[in-house]
Amino acid sequence: MRPTPYVASLRIYEPLSAFDSLDRLRWQSIDANTDTRKEEQALALRRLVFPEPPAGRPDGAHVLDINNKRYVSPWSTATRCWAALDDFKESLPSSITPFFISSALEEVITTGVDLIEDRVPHIITETWVIPPRWFSLFTPEERVRGEDDDGPFSFARTTMAKARERAMSSHEIVLGAFGQGPVEGEIENLLDWLELFHPESLVELDYGGLAAYLDASLRAQGKDGLDDDTSIEDVAHSLSGLAAADGSIAGQGYEKLVSRWRLVQGFESAT
């Protein structure tokens, strides 16, 4: 089982040439066969027990070698720690947060923040669910699923050009259907994030450990596990309904998606 079985990730892999010379030297030395996902997750768990400044050690990265070209997705550990801290602090009144995060722990997390120039994470994560807007970046043909030593897996990968085009299309459809609002804003934020990276990057959605939970929940319904996961299709179906101003079609796709992932979220309360 994966060290953090409840996390899904959306990753940007930039061409090695997009990084500075020092980073290129580090990333070039990584063996593409190394399971960097396990290394990243194990480090995250260690930091829960033994907090340390995330900027205090050299960061790792995921790598892909495709057609004799290397693509790199840095873990961006420090940036993601700071972002998570900010998000958490914004979600609660300032008088409450010290009960959850001590000043000493906050100091550990923020140590070195001024030393990092690149504060844009190449990886964003979600726990127990995958946002519909992530699925909108891919087509079913770009999806790969199967089973390895860690259990079921599912990921989708596409080019940055296609991801941006699909995100722009989704944004236009949702804006036209609902106007400005939270859903439209989340898609716009996703598009803004994509546009920060090299145009020849790759974009990858990794179900992570959620693949096992989804597989189990589908099999419990008498279905063929991950092979019956149509999340990408459901989002496309819903968007086509919105584009045609057909609320019935839009609702069908959305309801199928939400119902499927509601079962996965049910595992959270059971653990």
Side-chain angles (χ1 to χ4, degrees):
M1 178 176 286
R2 294 166 179 81
T4 52
Y6 45 81
V7 178
S9 303
L10 189 64
R11 303 187 184 97
I12 305 296
Y13 287 84
E14 291 194 278
L16 184 63
S17 59
F19 297 90
D20 62 38
S21 57
L22 182 59
D23 284 336
R24 287 201 302 269
L25 187 62
R26 281 200 295 152
W27 305 150
Q28 188 64 59
S29 65
I30 297 177
D31 183 350
N33 295 317
T34 301
D35 192 347
T36 53
R37 289 170 175 79
K38 276 190 175 180
E39 291 182 356
E40 179 193 19
Q41 293 172 22
L43 176 59
L45 290 178
R46 283 200 301 271
R47 281 174 166 153
L48 286 176
V49 181
F50 305 107
E52 65 177 6
R57 69 163 67 196
D59 217 357
H62 305 300
V63 299
L64 295 172
D65 288 338
I66 299 177
N67 296 329
N68 297 317
K69 188 173 183 179
R70 171 153 288 197
Y71 297 85
V72 182
S73 180
W75 295 350
S76 308
T77 306
T79 299
R80 289 159 64 191
C81 284
W82 296 323
L85 176 62
D86 285 342
D87 288 344
F88 181 76
K89 290 174 67 176
E90 289 177 2
S91 69
L92 295 172
S94 59
S95 59
I96 299 296
T97 52
F99 291 100
F100 295 92
I101 300 179
S102 67
S103 57
L105 178 57
E106 183 171 349
E107 182 178 354
V108 168
I109 294 174
T110 57
T111 295
V113 63
D114 297 330
L115 303 178
I116 303 297
E117 295 181 1
D118 183 8
R119 301 186 190 177
V120 179
H122 286 69
I123 306 170
I124 53 179
T125 58
E126 289 285 347
T127 57
W128 295 113
V129 70
I130 296 176
R133 60 188 178 277
W134 289 12
F135 292 116
S136 70
L137 303 179
F138 307 91
T139 63
E141 295 75 24
E142 295 165 342
R143 179 176 53 210
V144 177
R145 46 198 175 191
E147 190 164 344
D148 57 21
D149 293 340
D150 291 318
F153 67 82
S154 181
F155 68 87
R157 190 180 297 145
T158 192
T159 64
M160 178 61 78
K162 291 179 179 178
R164 289 177 180 172
E165 180 181 359
R166 293 164 186 165
M168 284 189 287
S169 175
S170 298
H171 183 258
E172 290 175 2
I173 291 172
V174 171
L175 183 61
F178 301 116
Q180 293 183 331
V183 176
E184 173 270 332
E186 289 174 343
I187 300 174
E188 184 176 30
N189 290 340
L190 176 61
L191 180 57
D192 290 343
W193 179 65
L194 293 173
E195 291 177 340
L196 294 172
F197 299 99
H198 194 284
E200 295 181 11
S201 299
L202 300 177
V203 184
E204 179 185 82
L205 166 59
D206 183 359
Y207 281 36
L210 296 186
Y213 290 110
L214 181 59
D215 183 76
S217 64
L218 289 171
R219 292 187 185 280
Q221 293 181 307
K223 298 181 180 180
D224 195 17
L226 282 179
D227 287 338
D228 278 336
D229 170 36
T230 57
S231 297
I232 293 175
E233 293 92 332
D234 294 339
V235 170
H237 191 68
S238 183
L239 287 170
S240 69
L242 290 178
D246 189 325
S248 176
I249 292 178
Q252 289 172 9
Y254 183 74
E255 181 57 32
K256 284 183 64 178
L257 179 77
V258 171
S259 297
R260 181 181 306 110
W261 285 95
R262 187 180 294 125
L263 295 173
V264 175
Q265 289 179 292
F267 285 100
E268 180 179 12
S269 58
T271 55

